[in-house]
């Protein structure tokens, strides 16, 4: 395991650049939560059927997956700044379509644009944060994106509370919020220069013989043992843990109402309280991720993450078991889920493979989660305890992948330009 970099001073410029890039996570979360609220409000005035709402929700998830796959590759090939500028233009356009949509046809177009843009933005933005962060503070600044991710959820939920009774106007307001935030981020990103590390690696790649230079990024990931093992481990970690987290996120309220006999109001209040706790824990993650005790915190998070699903599985699905599970699950989300995944993806791959690897694993995870979501309501009807037990097993397996990834910690691939220069153009 490599030595931990010495602490580095984080300047105002570092925070600005990381915050502006990290807004990708805010917009990703806000797009998903806002769509969940807006489609319900649009249902009657635009005449949306249950099938259309399901199709639009599923389309958003798949569009994010495709965007992550394409955006990650384009970010490695053409640069971080170029891609994350285009994605903001698409996100502003898509959000404006959704806010102004007079019929279902424009909703489909807007959902495709918003999903693709938010997915494509994620891997390149996180890569830029890591590459421009000072040594010893890379994890902290990447972790900032997770705080902003929670901000996107909380912001959309709070707006949802205010506009929930406004019907069609409320839907237009919540999508308008998404468009305005994306527009502000676009303007601010025009002040962010290209990643200097990407430029150096790209210039070095120009000098590589054509046979090496023409190898595809995916072939490099799958054909080189140095990158294949971390790639497979990260894919296993994120795909399995994301199935559980996505199930909780999409069907949490459904389970409170249909399996525990609670109400939407109680489910929403408990969910909002858990999100507030999660923001605080995400800030703690920023403080500890670059230190020597990272994996101790990961272990705490792993126990909490498994416990979130094990409690209802063992004690039965009730309001208290779901609420207690949500509470201990905040530890998992903070220390053993997406935030640490983002950090690991920056550490394990060279510059010109970095956003390709992250975009590919994000795409795989989102597609798998979308497929599982099709069967979740049926599993709840058959037996919610079995569903929770299955999710607990999946999370436990994913946590094992995390320990394997940590043992690969010494393979930090950003040390020299030559490491990335072999990647294909």
């Amino acid at each position: 395991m490599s030595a931990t970099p010495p602490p580095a001073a984080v300047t105002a410029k570092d925070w600005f650049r990381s915050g502006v890039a990290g807004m990708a996570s805010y917009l990703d979360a806000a797009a998903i939560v806002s769509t969940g609220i807006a489609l319900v409000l649009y249902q009657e005035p635009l005449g949306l059927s249950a099938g259309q709402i399901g199709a639009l929700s599923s389309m958003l998830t798949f569009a994010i997956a495709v965007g992550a796959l394409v955006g990650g590759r384009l970010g490695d090939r053409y640069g971080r700044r170029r891609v994350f500028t285009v994605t903001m233009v698409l996100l502003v356009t898509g959000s404006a379509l959704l806010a102004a949509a007079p019929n279902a046809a424009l909703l489909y177009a807007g959902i495709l644009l918003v999903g693709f843009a938010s997915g494509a933005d994620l891997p390149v933005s996180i890569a830029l944060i890591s590459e421009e962060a000072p040594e010893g503070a890379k994890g902290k600044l990447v972790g900032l994106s997770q705080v902003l991710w929670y901000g996107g959820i909380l912001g959309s939920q709070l707006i949802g509370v205010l506009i929930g009774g406004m019907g069609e106007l409320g839907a237009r307001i919540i999508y308008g919020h998404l468009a305005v935030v994306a527009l502000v981020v676009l303007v601010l990103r025009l002040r962010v220069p290209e990643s200097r590390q990407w430029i150096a690696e790209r210039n070095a790649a120009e000098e590589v013989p054509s046979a090496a230079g023409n190898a595809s990024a995916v072939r490099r990931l799958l054909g080189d043992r140095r990158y294949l093992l971390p790639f497979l481990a990260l894919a296993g970690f994120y795909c399995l843990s994301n199935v559980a987290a996505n199930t909780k996120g999409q069907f949490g309220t459904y389970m409170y109402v249909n399996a525990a006999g609670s109400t939407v109001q109680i489910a929403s209040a408990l969910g909002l309280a858990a999100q507030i706790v999660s923001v605080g824990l995400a800030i703690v993650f920023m403080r500890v991720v670059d230190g020597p005790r990272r994996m101790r915190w990961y272990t705490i998070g792993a126990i909490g993450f498994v416990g979130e699903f094990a409690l209802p599985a063992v004690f039965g699905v009730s309001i208290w078991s779901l609420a207690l599970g949500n509470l201990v699950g905040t530890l998992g989300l903070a220390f053993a889920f997406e935030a640490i995944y983002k950090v690991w993806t920056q550490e394990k791959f060279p510059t010109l493979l970095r956003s390709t690897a992250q975009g590919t694993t994000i795409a795989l995870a989102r597609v798998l989660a979308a497929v599982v979501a099709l069967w979740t309501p049926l599993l709840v009807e058959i037996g919610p305890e079995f569903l929770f037990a299955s999710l607990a097993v999946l999370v436990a397996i994913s946590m094992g992948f995390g320990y394997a990834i940590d043992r690969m910690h010494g393979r930090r691939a950003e040390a020299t330009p030559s490491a990335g220069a072999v990647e294909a153009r």
Side-chain angles (χ1 to χ4, degrees):
M1 191 169 177
S2 59
T4 302
V10 180
T11 66
K13 182 179 180 180
D14 294 325
W15 285 113
F16 171 80
R17 179 173 52 229
S18 300
V20 172
M23 284 298 291
S25 295
Y26 178 99
L27 290 166
D28 174 54
I32 295 171
V33 176
S34 296
T35 295
I37 296 170
L39 290 182
V40 175
L41 298 176
Y42 270 148
Q43 185 172 5
E44 184 175 344
L46 297 190
L48 299 179
S49 67
Q52 285 177 307
I53 291 177
L56 286 164
S57 300
S58 180
M59 185 180 294
L60 178 65
T61 301
F62 279 108
I64 292 172
V66 173
L69 189 64
V70 174
R73 178 65 191 119
L74 294 179
D76 283 339
R77 187 166 187 175
Y78 298 110
R80 319 308 191 196
R81 187 177 187 273
R82 187 179 300 179
V83 173
F84 80 15
T85 300
V86 172
T87 56
M88 281 303 101
V89 174
L90 294 177
L91 219 159
V92 170
T93 304
S95 301
L97 282 176
L98 291 169
N103 52 49
L106 280 185
L107 287 181
Y108 284 101
I111 286 288
L112 283 174
L113 282 175
V114 167
F116 180 87
S118 60
D121 200 47
L122 279 170
V124 292
S125 300
I126 300 303
L128 184 138
I129 294 173
S130 174
E131 290 160 5
E132 289 294 296
E135 284 299 324
K138 293 182 181 293
K140 174 188 294 185
L141 292 177
V142 169
L144 174 63
S145 69
Q146 197 67 8
V147 176
L148 294 171
W149 184 75
Y150 287 121
I153 295 174
L154 285 171
S156 299
Q157 286 178 332
L158 289 174
I159 293 174
V161 170
L162 296 175
I163 55 87
M166 295 183 181
E168 180 181 349
L169 176 61
R172 302 193 187 283
I173 289 173
I174 200 166
Y175 275 135
H177 144 261
L178 197 65
V180 170
V181 173
L183 181 61
V184 171
V185 172
L186 171 61
V187 172
L188 293 176
R189 283 185 175 182
L190 295 177
R191 300 175 55 189
V192 177
E194 181 57 87
S195 160
R196 291 167 295 180
Q197 187 173 318
W198 181 87
I199 293 173
E201 297 281 4
R202 196 63 187 165
N203 290 339
E206 297 295 333
E207 303 173 3
V208 174
S210 59
N214 288 330
S216 72
V218 174
R219 194 188 309 171
R220 293 291 309 165
L221 285 172
L222 300 181
D224 190 323
R225 185 179 176 85
R226 292 174 299 169
Y227 312 136
L228 174 61
L229 293 179
F231 175 76
L232 293 177
L234 280 163
F237 171 81
Y238 192 56
C239 285
L240 296 180
S241 59
N242 188 66
V243 165
N246 188 75
T247 300
K248 170 197 167 187
Q250 280 193 306
F251 299 100
T253 301
Y254 183 90
M255 291 178 186
Y256 267 104
V257 174
N258 292 282
S262 183
T263 65
V264 172
Q265 290 80 2
I266 291 176
S268 299
L270 291 172
L272 189 60
Q275 291 297 338
I276 293 172
V277 173
S278 294
V279 172
L281 291 175
I283 294 172
V284 175
F285 175 85
M286 290 174 60
R287 297 177 62 88
V288 303
V289 64
D290 293 304
R293 296 181 177 85
R294 174 197 291 185
M295 292 307 292
R296 293 185 186 179
W297 288 95
Y298 175 83
T299 298
I300 294 172
I303 294 170
F305 207 168
V306 174
E308 176 173 9
F309 302 97
L311 282 170
V314 173
F315 297 104
V317 176
S318 63
I319 296 175
W320 78 264
S321 67
L322 291 175
L324 184 58
N326 284 345
L327 181 61
V328 299
T330 59
L331 294 168
L333 294 178
F335 302 116
F337 181 47
E338 191 155 333
I340 191 66
Y341 156 78
K342 290 175 180 177
V343 174
W344 278 332
T345 55
Q346 307 314 304
E347 294 177 347
K348 307 307 174 185
F349 305 101
T351 302
L352 300 185
L353 285 176
R354 185 169 291 138
S355 66
T356 298
Q358 184 169 354
T360 303
T361 51
I362 288 174
L364 290 171
R366 296 297 174 99
V367 169
L368 180 59
V371 171
V372 172
L374 294 174
W375 301 96
T376 299
L378 177 61
L379 291 174
V380 172
E381 290 184 10
I382 293 174
E385 286 80 11
F386 173 77
L387 172 63
F388 278 100
S390 300
L391 294 175
V393 171
L394 290 182
V395 172
I397 295 171
S398 74
M399 296 299 101
F401 278 116
Y403 288 106
I405 295 166
D406 184 66
R407 289 195 290 272
M408 304 172 191
H409 188 65
R411 300 173 184 167
R412 301 184 72 162
E414 58 189 64
T416 62
S418 61
V422 297
E423 193 276 319
R425 287 163 289 198

